[in-house]
Amino acid sequence: MSTFDALGLSPKLTKGLEKAGYTTPTPIQTQAIPHIMQGRDLMGLAQTGTGKTAAFGLPLLHRLLDIGHPPGPRNVRALILAPTRELVSQISDNLEVFTKGTPVKVVTITGGASIFRQSEKLARGADVLVATPGRLIDLLDRNALTLEMTGYLVLDEADQMLDMGFIHALKKIAKHLPMKRQTLLFSATMPKLIEDLAQTYLRDPIKVQVAPPGKPIEKIVQGVHFTPQGDKAKLLETYLKQHPGEMALVFGRTKHGSEKLMKLLVSWGFKAGSIHGNKSQNQRERTLNEFRDGTLDVLVATDVAARGIDISGVRHVYNYDMPNVPENYVHRIGRTARAGAEGKAVAFCAPAEMDEFKAVEKLLKQPIPVLGGAPWAMDAGAAAPRPGQNRGGQGRGKPMGQGKPAGQGKPKPQGQKPARPEGGTDAPRKAFRPRRSGNRSAA
């Protein structure tokens, strides 16, 4: 099927898609939409940037349009859960495009915004509610809404939700949902935990997969530069100066480290901003808008933004710190090469990050081309401080065969607290512990 009309969608939706410039469905949309319109539970596996929002959003909107009357007070007809504020905002923005000219009402709720105003919106009911799990539970506890009439549940980026520790929140929300419903689960990866989640929430689901889990977009040119942790900032400066005026996204591991790096880049004359869990929702949205409209050239972010940024102009992604979870590497670099464009991704690997780097190559099932330096010896990696930990007294690592014998580095200062992990106000208090667990093409 080569058009949205051929998928059987309502003319009210296809007209809006045509006005917005969407004419040809992506593979995940072509495969998923017919099954969802038939009422089947579905598990969709697709890499970032493949149009998953439209894959579940369009058929849901099609079915909601058939109802013909508004929802009751505090009632929600369709619930879409996503792990981060940025992703919730992205989904909501896409749905607003799809619903333009229709009576379908979309409500968005996330942490960091006024819970009183969100309660007021929900008092009038919602056809579609897009939410982060934490804030949804807060509103359920206040009896600001009811899910008793919710006939559709979508879990988007389910693997990241599990990685961020939302499994207990999902269980609590599920108790408020009716047993008779249509459930859709979308994920970029398929670890054992996602299989268990699907068995718990989905009934006889159809499985749709358009690319091997973890496989990055083919148009992304990847590379790794082996460098001591203390040399990363100057190396990043060198790379950024090679592409002046081009949009670059830089990923750090911790909130504090990312903020410090952003301020350093600004002091060097770069138009840089940052988003992470210590920023308020308004601050994060303002910074994203400035990055989107070109006011900023460089955005420094933690993994809270890895799947929530859909900006077609991003040409470069720099993994300043290697991710703890190898799948997050794919989601990070998927922020470039959007909507068919090309992009480049460079990873900076310090001695202590060799384990993480090897885990990424194992996931990709192929080596990442070396752009500079030489792979670190494992003994050098074992002795080096971790990114995001105390750097006072940190010795510089050496390439393979040049490391100092263990125990000859400077001792670490005592009494300093380790950097807090990213999570933001929507993260649960108790993190889910598993080690392992990426949209603008009509979404």
Side-chain angles (χ1 to χ4, degrees), residues 318-429:
Y318 297 100
N319 282 284
Y320 188 85
D321 294 320
M322 295 298 298
N324 289 317
V325 180
E327 286 84 358
N328 284 350
Y329 173 87
V330 179
H331 308 315
R332 288 179 177 189
I333 71 172
R335 299 308 99 197
T336 188
R338 310 293 285 184
E342 295 183 354
K344 296 181 179 179
V346 180
F348 296 168
C349 182
E353 297 175 298
M354 280 302 293
D355 284 343
E356 286 87 347
F357 175 71
K358 292 297 183 183
V360 168
E361 288 195 319
K362 182 178 179 181
L363 176 70
L364 298 178
K365 295 181 174 62
Q366 64 183 37
I368 299 176
V370 177
L371 303 177
W376 303 101
M378 299 310 292
D379 57 349
R386 311 294 296 173
Q389 291 181 336
N390 171 65
R391 290 177 172 80
Q394 170 182 322
R396 293 188 176 185
K398 299 294 181 182
M400 187 176 294
Q402 299 179 26
K404 292 182 178 180
Q408 293 188 13
K410 295 182 181 180
K412 292 183 180 179
Q414 300 297 313
Q416 296 196 24
K417 296 181 179 179
R420 295 181 63 186
E422 179 60 56
T425 58
D426 289 311
R429 293 180 181 177

Side-chain angles (χ1 to χ4, degrees), residues 174-190:
K175 295 178 181 179
H176 294 266
L177 292 162
M179 291 295 294
K180 188 177 181 181
R181 66 175 188 266
Q182 182 178 13
T183 305
L184 313 173
L185 183 152
F186 282 79
S187 178
T189 61
M190 188 61 181

Side-chain angles (χ1 to χ4, degrees), residues 35-36 38-43 151 153 179 181-185 198 201-207:
H35 294 297
I36 298 174
Q38 292 169 10
R40 291 289 303 272
D41 282 11
L42 182 140
M43 179 166 56
L153 170 65
M179 291 295 294
R181 66 175 188 266
Q182 182 178 13
T183 305
L184 313 173
L185 183 152
Y201 290 92
L202 279 65
R203 296 171 300 175
D204 188 28
I206 191 80
K207 184 177 179 180

Side-chain angles (χ1 to χ4, degrees), residues 204-220:
D204 188 28
I206 191 80
K207 184 177 179 180
V208 173
Q209 181 173 343
V210 298
K215 185 178 180 181
I217 296 174
E218 299 292 347
K219 290 187 177 181
I220 301 176

Side-chain angles (χ1 to χ4, degrees), residues 41-378:
D41 282 11
L42 182 140
M43 179 166 56
L45 296 176
Q47 63 193 42
T48 180
T50 54
K52 287 182 287 184
T53 304
F56 62 74
L58 291 174
L60 282 187
L61 296 174
H62 171 90
R63 302 195 73 185
L64 292 174
L65 284 171
D66 287 340
I67 297 176
H69 59 84
R74 300 190 302 117
N75 282 331
V76 172
R77 285 176 170 159
L79 172 63
I80 301 174
L81 292 175
T84 66
R85 305 171 190 173
E86 284 73 25
L87 189 55
V88 164
S89 178
Q90 177 185 315
I91 293 170
S92 182
D93 288 345
N94 283 315
L95 293 180
E96 292 290 350
V97 172
F98 305 154
T99 59
K100 190 173 183 179
T102 75
V104 174
K105 180 182 179 182
V106 179
V107 176
T108 301
I109 58 172
T110 65
S114 169
I115 196 169
F116 176 74
R117 291 182 180 178
Q118 292 174 349
S119 297
E120 285 186 322
K121 290 181 180 179
L122 290 168
R124 298 186 289 271
D127 290 296
V128 182
L129 176 62
V130 192
T132 50
R135 178 49 60 93
L136 177 59
I137 290 177
D138 291 341
L139 289 162
L140 286 169
D141 290 343
R142 291 171 175 243
N143 294 318
L145 75 157
T146 174
L147 301 179
E148 294 177 355
M149 304 299 292
T150 302
Y152 309 96
L153 170 65
V154 180
L155 303 177
D156 193 21
E157 302 292 2
D159 50 352
Q160 190 184 16
M161 272 198 273
L162 293 186
D163 187 52
M164 291 177 66
F166 283 125
I167 184 65
H168 302 297
L170 293 178
K171 290 179 179 179
K172 188 171 183 179
I173 292 169
K175 295 178 181 179
H176 294 266
L177 292 162
M179 291 295 294
K180 188 177 181 181
R181 66 175 188 266
Q182 182 178 13
T183 305
L184 313 173
L185 183 152
F186 282 79
S187 178
T189 61
M190 188 61 181
K192 177 70 164 58
L193 290 167
I194 293 297
E195 294 180 359
D196 295 342
L197 189 70
Q199 291 179 4
T200 302
Y201 290 92
L202 279 65
R203 296 171 300 175
D204 188 28
I206 191 80
K207 184 177 179 180
V208 173
Q209 181 173 343
V210 298
K215 185 178 180 181
I217 296 174
E218 299 292 347
K219 290 187 177 181
I220 301 176
V221 179
Q222 301 176 64
V224 60
H225 199 123
F226 295 98
T227 181
Q229 186 70 28
D231 291 349
K232 284 187 177 182
K234 294 301 293 183
L235 180 62
L236 177 62
E237 179 189 24
T238 300
Y239 272 102
L240 292 175
K241 284 184 175 181
Q242 291 175 0
H243 309 282
E246 295 186 11
M247 299 175 72
L249 187 52
V250 181
F251 281 104
R253 180 170 293 178
T254 67
K255 295 175 281 191
H256 175 74
S258 297
E259 186 70 11
K260 185 177 179 181
L261 176 60
M262 179 273 292
K263 291 179 179 179
L264 180 62
L265 292 175
V266 170
S267 72
W268 288 346
F270 293 99
K271 296 185 293 183
S274 66
I275 59 172
H276 48 70
N278 280 348
K279 300 280 188 176
S280 70
Q281 180 67 12
N282 288 337
Q283 287 175 318
R284 289 157 71 165
E285 290 180 353
R286 182 168 62 251
T287 301
L288 276 175
N289 287 334
E290 290 176 346
F291 187 52
R292 185 176 287 108
D293 66 24
T295 303
L296 301 176
D297 292 333
V298 184
L299 180 63
V300 185
T302 51
D303 279 317
V304 72
R307 306 191 200 190
I309 297 178
D310 185 10
I311 302 176
S312 59
V314 175
R315 290 290 173 265
H316 307 274
V317 170
Y318 297 100
N319 282 284
Y320 188 85
D321 294 320
M322 295 298 298
N324 289 317
V325 180
E327 286 84 358
N328 284 350
Y329 173 87
V330 179
H331 308 315
R332 288 179 177 189
I333 71 172
R335 299 308 99 197
T336 188
R338 310 293 285 184
E342 295 183 354
K344 296 181 179 179
V346 180
F348 296 168
C349 182
E353 297 175 298
M354 280 302 293
D355 284 343
E356 286 87 347
F357 175 71
K358 292 297 183 183
V360 168
E361 288 195 319
K362 182 178 179 181
L363 176 70
L364 298 178
K365 295 181 174 62
Q366 64 183 37
I368 299 176
V370 177
L371 303 177
W376 303 101
M378 299 310 292

